[in-house]
Amino acid sequence: MTPLNYILLSSLLVSIAFDSCFSSRQRSLSSISCLETPRKSRIVGGVTAEKGEAPYIVSLTRRGGHFCGATILNANWIVTAGHCVCNGLNKIMKPSQIKGIVGLHQISDYRQNENSEEDPYEVQFKNIVPHPEYGCTKVANDIALLQLSQPLKFSKHIQPTCVALDDNDLYEDTVGIVSGWGWTHENQDIGDRADILQKAAVKVWNNERCQRSFEANGMKNTITQSQMCAGHETGGIDSCWADSGGPLVTASNTLIGIVSTGIGCARPGLPGIYTRVTKYTDWIESVIFNKF
């Protein structure tokens, strides 16, 4: 199985009704509201995001290059996929080996103005906490938390997201928004890595239906209760290389999934596989609020 990492472009237009902003289904882990950023009532699948449209997303970098996405939870913590913090030896990286860029929209613009005191700006980490049952050669429990060395300076383009709370809500048939700077095609001879943040609309599948679809296509993936599938029956829209660790959110700015794994990118009948956030909310809170 291959980690997924990008948003493939398509012209699908999807209308999404907003969830209630005041709901027991979601929780802010920040001292400021995670719902203050306005959202449009419709989004376009697989297009360039507007600046500031996803203020919760973080670009993780190594040696100056983007390699994974992450999501802001509060001023001190972000969340990503577990495999994003693994090195080539299948060991957890040291915090000094990863940096993040917050408030980012266009990578090339940031590189030309790296010394600007305004967002986007680079952040460093002092602690990496993978899920205790995650292993770098496995796909189960594919989630990790990164603690920032200094608290974030929130702004119009740097905001936290809420996390999904209700473990009984499977979000089946919910249309979510996935975003990232990954590749535009699974064949890297055809596609390119995105310079400007991309976004796409994907529908959450029932897990049993997803399992059947993978089996019907000759794949041996096992879809567990701690995972969710999201994509389109006919393919064409998905996350891909270098989108790993990035957010899948509802229209009300609630984090429900983390880009994790799958087979290729945007293949018919093979939706992307995401870490199901509701299965890890208690663990996330135990770490960031020291409830050990």
Side-chain angles (χ1 to χ4, degrees):
M1 285 182 276
T2 309
L4 284 179
N5 293 343
Y6 170 101
I7 311 304
L8 292 167
L9 297 182
S10 174
S11 60
L12 178 67
L13 183 66
V14 182
S15 295
I16 304 175
F18 276 84
D19 296 334
S20 171
C21 289
F22 303 100
S23 171
S24 60
R25 299 170 63 197
Q26 57 199 16
R27 177 177 298 165
S28 172
L29 302 178
S30 174
S31 59
I32 70 168
S33 170
C34 56
L35 298 170
E36 290 180 351
T37 303
R39 288 285 177 270
K40 295 182 178 180
S41 59
R42 67 179 189 179
I43 66 100
V44 181
V47 297
T48 297
E50 295 181 12
K51 187 173 183 179
E53 191 172 355
Y56 45 78
I57 195 169
V58 182
S59 167
L60 297 182
T61 66
R62 289 191 70 190
R63 304 182 186 92
H66 168 85
F67 73 96
C68 267
T71 306
I72 298 171
L73 298 177
N74 62 26
N76 297 300
W77 291 91
I78 68 171
V79 64
T80 188
H83 71 265
C84 286
V85 299
C86 294
N87 62 22
L89 300 175
N90 290 321
K91 303 291 184 182
I92 301 299
M93 287 188 278
K94 298 177 181 179
S96 61
Q97 294 178 300
I98 303 176
K99 291 182 172 58
I101 304 173
V102 295
L104 182 65
H105 180 64
Q106 184 168 355
I107 295 174
S108 58
D109 274 0
Y110 167 73
R111 289 173 176 167
Q112 293 173 10
N113 300 282
E114 281 189 64
N115 296 322
S116 172
E117 295 183 359
E118 299 179 356
D119 50 59
Y121 68 92
E122 185 178 81
V123 297
Q124 299 184 14
F125 304 104
K126 65 179 180 181
N127 197 14
I128 296 176
V129 186
H131 190 274
E133 297 180 25
Y134 175 72
C136 287
T137 60
K138 308 294 184 180
V139 296
N141 304 301
D142 190 14
I143 186 171
L145 294 165
L146 287 82
Q147 185 177 20
L148 288 103
S149 297
Q150 299 291 330
L152 291 175
K153 298 174 290 185
F154 288 129
S155 69
K156 179 180 178 181
H157 299 136
I158 303 172
Q159 295 281 324
T161 188
C162 283
V163 295
L165 188 62
D166 186 357
D167 194 27
N168 294 316
D169 192 336
L170 301 180
Y171 291 94
E172 293 173 1
D173 294 323
T174 294
V175 177
I177 306 163
V178 61
S179 50
W181 291 273
W183 288 83
T184 58
H185 197 284
E186 69 172 83
N187 184 340
Q188 296 178 8
D189 291 331
I190 298 175
D192 295 296
R193 186 174 293 187
D195 179 46
I196 303 175
L197 182 65
Q198 302 291 297
K199 65 176 183 179
V202 290
K203 182 175 287 189
V204 177
W205 292 30
N206 170 278
N207 272 25
E208 293 180 1
R209 175 193 171 206
C210 184
Q211 184 71 62
R212 291 194 300 269
S213 189
F214 270 84
E215 292 173 355
N217 282 278
M219 303 303 170
K220 298 181 179 180
N221 301 62
T222 298
I223 310 302
T224 69
Q225 291 184 349
S226 62
Q227 296 173 314
M228 65 165 55
C229 301
H232 294 271
E233 187 75 41
T234 57
I237 302 176
D238 197 3
S239 52
C240 195
W241 329 120
D243 288 323
S244 276
L248 174 66
V249 302
T250 67
S252 63
N253 199 20
T254 301
L255 181 68
I256 61 172
I258 297 169
V259 181
S260 177
T261 189
I263 301 294
C265 308
R267 297 184 187 183
L270 298 174
I273 301 174
Y274 296 75
T275 301
R276 187 181 292 273
V277 171
T278 54
K279 294 296 184 181
Y280 299 96
T281 304
D282 289 344
W283 172 75
I284 290 171
E285 290 188 320
S286 73
V287 173
I288 68 178
F289 297 129
N290 295 313
K291 297 179 181 178
F292 295 101

